[in-house]
Amino acid sequence: MNWNDANKKQLVAAVIFAAVAVVVAMAVPTIEIAVVSTILLLTVYLFAFEVVGVDVAAVSIMVTLGLISHFSAAFGMARPLVPPNDLFRGFSSNAVISIIAVMIIGAGLDKTGLMGRIAGAILKYAGRTEARVIPAIAGSVGFISSFMQNVGAAALFLPVVSRISARTGLAMSRLLMPMGFCAILGGTITMVGSSPLILLNDLILATNKGLAVEQQMKTWPLFAVMPVGLALLGTGIAYFVLAGRFVLPVKVMDKVASGTDAMDYFQRLYGLDYALYEMVVPAASPVAGLPINDIEGPNRLRVIATMRGSDDLRMGPARDIEITPGSVLGVLGAPESLREFAARNGLELRDHLETFVEQLAPTKAGIAEVVIRPGSNLIGKTARDVWMRKTYGLSLSALHRGGKTLRLGEGIRDMPLQAGDALVVHTSWEALTQLKKNRNFVVVTTEYPNEELRSHKVRQALVFFGITLVLILFTDIRLAVALMTGAIGMILSGVLRIEEAYQAVSWKSVFLLASLIPLGLAVETSGTAEWIAHQTLAVIGGMPVWVIQLAIVVLATFFTLVMSNVGATVLLVPLAVNIAIGVGANPAVFALTVALATSNSFFLPTHQVNALIMGPAGYRVADFMRAGGIMSLLFIVVLMVMMNLVF
């Protein structure tokens, strides 16, 4: 579709939305409800057709609310839609401060390498295919989300998914939406998994004060909702496994992370066609018992990692290390040469990494180019003389000199080095980062993940993460305070520098959430939400109980998209209780229905979790509408079936 067609589509939609706004404004009882309804329709239009970015749209709506509130008398309103002191309250809200804190905590855990280990563990057991990786990620985050806030669980897994994406080649956009949606669904498994469920028992006790003794409701125990929550989580996982290839978008991956750009570069420049394989050495293989040096040169390959036994892992192993039966080798070389070598020596050739999935992932290691600096202490010495692999962490794979490229098997490790020699090496990015400070080399490769992992800070990171969990699970302290305790602990203990903490925060997500909070406040205080609820229920008041329950679910789903899930719960629980009593249904079940239905937040990126994953995956609002629309319908169906089966 060209620009003109897109522009026409937006124009037609604007006219339709404007017409609907006029009709609604004529039907509502007050000017406040008319104005808020119009702003709601404008918000949906801006989100759906992406006239501007969603964060810009949200800020624009907030500013519009502020202007209308300031000139409320001119619009004939008795009071402002949003009091001036509350317009920017979203930036200091519990939700926004919490999401900032969990991003910092997640970055801290990632900085120590913990997230990389979790990613490696998931890949080890789940493999590398989308059909297996998605349920492994979704199931893990769903379980964690059942006992901590879903946005915290999602932020915790964001760097894990990033690393899995880099190692498998699966696009982030294929993994983050299942992770985010299942983090939300996991919050329905226990009564502490989401804010509405945490709040529900307090609302029940408050509502009981206005009810007769025989109508009093009991509070819900911790695992009362587990059957319903597990069914919802299972449905979400099954949905993405079965329909993911149809509903999930495919965005362009970060080429640096995938490592494909680097290999293309070296192939074009030096004619190198190298690949990385794992080889398992059976006891009967002729290479068992030989030192590494004896197999490298004659076979035009480079052994860059070994695993002997269960715990003897060596990166850049010395050339005199013996190859033991049952060991696993990480081998670099031309694919044809490696396959021929494996077949000739009875080795098991793996086409993907299993043993070294963590150490040799594209985010940890790869092919790089360094040049011998004039005046270098290495001039006149060979790679063997200086034990280049052991001393510098460089496995020499090719040497370019005088317009000619020498490859593996052509004696490159026995050639005296000269100033200006370009060395193509396999190395860890950590070693390459350290090499920048070495006056013997000039590091030519710059586009690589040169992050500095602080593995020595693991204990501090775990301590403050543990403190945060304890505060969340066993105290009634505000969520934002508990999470900020962990975040500031990461900074004070040196796990993260303050600059890194700022960089860890997705400010687009922060502005999106903070700017929408005043809209939710206007929907609630203007009477718009209550009017919509009463109008809807007036239509279905005489219908069967399950139809009324379904209407409450749909209302809760709608309200949670345009206001906070907590606000929707506070608004609808008393209404649902009174309706249940009026039709002879169980009021506690109707109250629980509301608290669960407010987790049905998949259609728009207004939920904290959806806002969190939108930027890193490059999602558009249309992506949420397509995948989230179906998920919302499945959620409603499963929720209704399970609530009526269990309760």
Side-chain angles (χ1 to χ4, degrees):
M1 180 182 291
N2 59 43
W3 185 90
N4 288 331
D5 288 339
N7 200 41
K8 289 176 183 176
K9 185 177 179 181
Q10 290 177 356
L11 184 59
V12 171
V15 172
I16 295 173
F17 271 83
V20 172
V22 171
V23 172
V24 171
M26 295 173 63
V28 298
T30 67
I31 185 66
E32 288 84 2
I33 296 177
V35 172
V36 172
S37 299
T38 301
I39 294 176
L40 273 176
L41 288 168
L42 175 61
T43 304
V44 174
Y45 167 72
L46 291 176
F47 276 15
F49 292 92
E50 297 185 80
V51 181
V52 292
V54 289
D55 51 337
V56 177
V59 174
S60 301
I61 292 299
M62 179 182 66
V63 172
T64 301
L65 278 171
L67 291 172
I68 293 175
S69 296
H70 183 76
F71 297 104
S72 56
F75 286 91
M77 292 185 287
R79 55 188 175 83
L81 293 176
V82 180
N85 292 337
D86 292 334
L87 185 62
F88 299 105
R89 193 178 68 179
F91 289 93
S92 61
S93 68
N94 190 61
V96 170
I97 298 301
S98 296
I99 202 171
I100 290 173
V102 294
M103 288 176 185
I104 294 172
I105 291 172
L109 293 173
D110 189 39
K111 199 68 174 177
T112 63
L114 278 173
M115 296 298 98
R117 296 179 194 175
I118 295 174
I122 290 176
L123 286 178
K124 182 178 180 181
Y125 294 104
R128 305 168 69 86
T129 63
E130 189 174 291
R132 296 183 64 183
V133 170
I134 285 178
I137 294 174
S140 300
V141 76
F143 169 74
I144 291 175
S145 185
S146 68
F147 61 85
M148 71 179 293
Q149 292 289 300
N150 43 38
V151 67
L156 189 64
F157 262 73
L158 188 57
V160 174
V161 174
S162 175
R163 293 185 180 279
I164 289 175
S165 171
R167 295 174 195 182
T168 61
L170 298 173
M172 286 271 282
S173 57
R174 307 287 291 181
L175 303 177
L176 274 185
M177 193 173 286
M179 184 275 286
F181 282 14
C182 288
I184 297 173
L185 293 170
T188 64
I189 294 177
T190 70
M191 294 298 294
V192 297
S194 66
S195 297
L197 287 171
I198 294 172
L199 180 65
L200 179 61
N201 282 336
D202 288 340
L203 290 176
I204 286 177
L205 294 174
T207 306
N208 279 344
K209 295 178 181 178
L211 299 178
V213 176
E214 64 275 8
Q215 297 172 340
Q216 299 279 308
M217 297 175 287
K218 293 182 179 179
T219 56
W220 293 98
L222 180 63
F223 297 108
V225 290
M226 181 172 283
V228 181
L230 289 176
L232 289 170
L233 178 60
T235 300
I237 295 173
Y239 168 56
F240 283 113
V241 170
L242 298 175
R245 63 181 183 273
F246 304 112
V247 300
L248 290 172
V250 179
K251 307 293 180 183
V252 179
M253 286 190 64
D254 182 358
K255 293 183 179 179
V256 174
S258 67
T260 55
D261 253 8
M263 286 310 302
D264 289 344
Y265 167 77
F266 288 114
Q267 189 166 357
R268 289 195 309 270
L269 188 62
Y270 298 123
L272 300 177
D273 181 22
Y274 287 162
L276 183 62
Y277 291 91
E278 285 186 358
M279 295 182 181
V280 182
V281 183
S285 172
V287 304
L290 296 178
I292 289 176
N293 184 66
D294 287 6
I295 69 168
E296 288 190 321
N299 296 289
R300 297 174 177 267
L301 57 85
R302 183 71 70 243
V303 178
I304 57 177
T306 62
M307 172 64 87
R308 304 191 307 171
S310 60
D311 57 358
D312 186 6
L313 172 66
R314 305 193 185 198
M315 305 304 299
R319 57 181 180 263
D320 57 350
I321 291 294
E322 182 180 302
I323 301 171
T324 58
S327 61
V328 182
L329 309 178
V331 184
L332 181 73
E336 275 302 318
S337 298
L338 295 182
R339 282 193 283 268
E340 181 185 340
F341 170 72
R344 189 171 63 250
N345 292 281
L347 304 176
E348 177 191 338
L349 186 68
R350 295 173 177 170
D351 58 359
H352 61 271
L353 298 179
E354 294 181 18
T355 302
F356 308 112
V357 66
E358 171 68 21
Q359 294 79 12
L360 297 180
T363 53
K364 289 289 188 69
I367 303 291
E369 183 180 11
V370 299
V371 173
I372 300 298
R373 183 192 297 268
S376 168
N377 296 331
L378 304 182
I379 293 175
K381 300 177 182 178
T382 69
R384 288 184 185 274
D385 293 337
V386 299
W387 290 69
M388 187 171 286
R389 208 166 10 192
K390 183 177 181 180
T391 307
Y392 301 108
L394 305 177
S395 294
L396 184 59
S397 305
L399 186 150
H400 185 80
R401 175 188 295 172
K404 184 179 180 181
T405 300
L406 301 174
R407 298 172 177 80
L408 292 172
E410 297 182 10
I412 55 178
R413 286 189 295 166
D414 298 312
M415 295 178 61
L417 298 171
Q418 298 178 8
D421 282 350
L423 312 181
V424 179
V425 298
H426 187 280
T427 180
S428 69
W429 303 133
E430 185 177 3
L432 194 63
T433 301
Q434 295 299 318
L435 213 63
K436 286 182 177 181
K437 307 171 186 176
N438 193 305
R439 296 185 61 82
N440 292 314
F441 301 94
V442 175
V443 177
V444 178
T445 300
T446 58
E447 296 298 319
Y448 64 94
N450 56 345
E451 62 179 345
E452 173 197 352
L453 290 180
R454 301 187 183 109
S455 55
H456 61 289
K457 293 289 185 178
V458 169
R459 181 175 299 176
Q460 292 92 323
L462 287 176
V463 165
F464 283 104
F465 180 62
I467 290 172
T468 301
L469 282 183
V470 169
L471 290 175
I472 292 172
L473 296 177
F474 303 109
T475 73
D476 58 355
I477 194 171
R478 286 191 74 184
L479 179 65
V481 176
L483 291 169
M484 268 298 174
T485 301
I488 199 64
M490 296 280 182
I491 296 168
L492 293 176
S493 62
V495 176
L496 282 179
R497 291 191 291 269
I498 186 63
E499 295 82 6
E500 294 167 337
Y502 288 135
Q503 293 170 1
V505 177
S506 172
W507 296 105
K508 178 177 182 177
S509 301
V510 169
F511 273 84
L512 173 63
L513 286 175
S515 301
L516 286 177
I517 285 175
L519 177 59
L521 181 63
V523 170
E524 188 173 349
T525 59
S526 66
T528 304
E530 188 175 358
W531 179 79
I532 293 173
H534 281 296
Q535 291 298 115
T536 303
L537 294 171
V539 175
I540 59 169
M543 294 187 177
V545 171
W546 71 267
V547 175
I548 296 173
Q549 188 180 18
L550 176 60
I552 290 174
V553 170
V554 173
L555 273 176
T557 299
F558 169 74
F559 284 138
T560 199
L561 293 175
V562 298
M563 60 192 296
S564 71
N565 50 11
V566 171
T569 304
V570 171
L571 177 73
L572 288 178
V573 163
L575 188 63
V577 167
N578 288 325
I579 291 171
I581 292 173
V583 298
N586 187 332
V589 171
F590 269 49
L592 182 61
T593 300
V594 170
L596 287 169
T598 52
S599 290
N600 193 5
S601 307
F602 311 107
F603 189 68
L604 292 173
T606 51
H607 191 281
Q608 297 102 308
V609 171
N610 293 337
L612 177 70
I613 66 175
M614 190 172 186
Y619 292 133
R620 299 167 59 234
V621 175
D623 298 326
F624 282 97
M625 288 183 167
R626 181 172 60 252
I630 300 173
M631 186 69 248
S632 293
L633 293 175
L634 290 173
F635 185 102
I636 292 172
V637 171
V638 173
L639 177 63
M640 285 296 299
V641 171
M642 291 302 297
M643 288 298 292
N644 284 280
L645 282 177
V646 176
F647 303 109

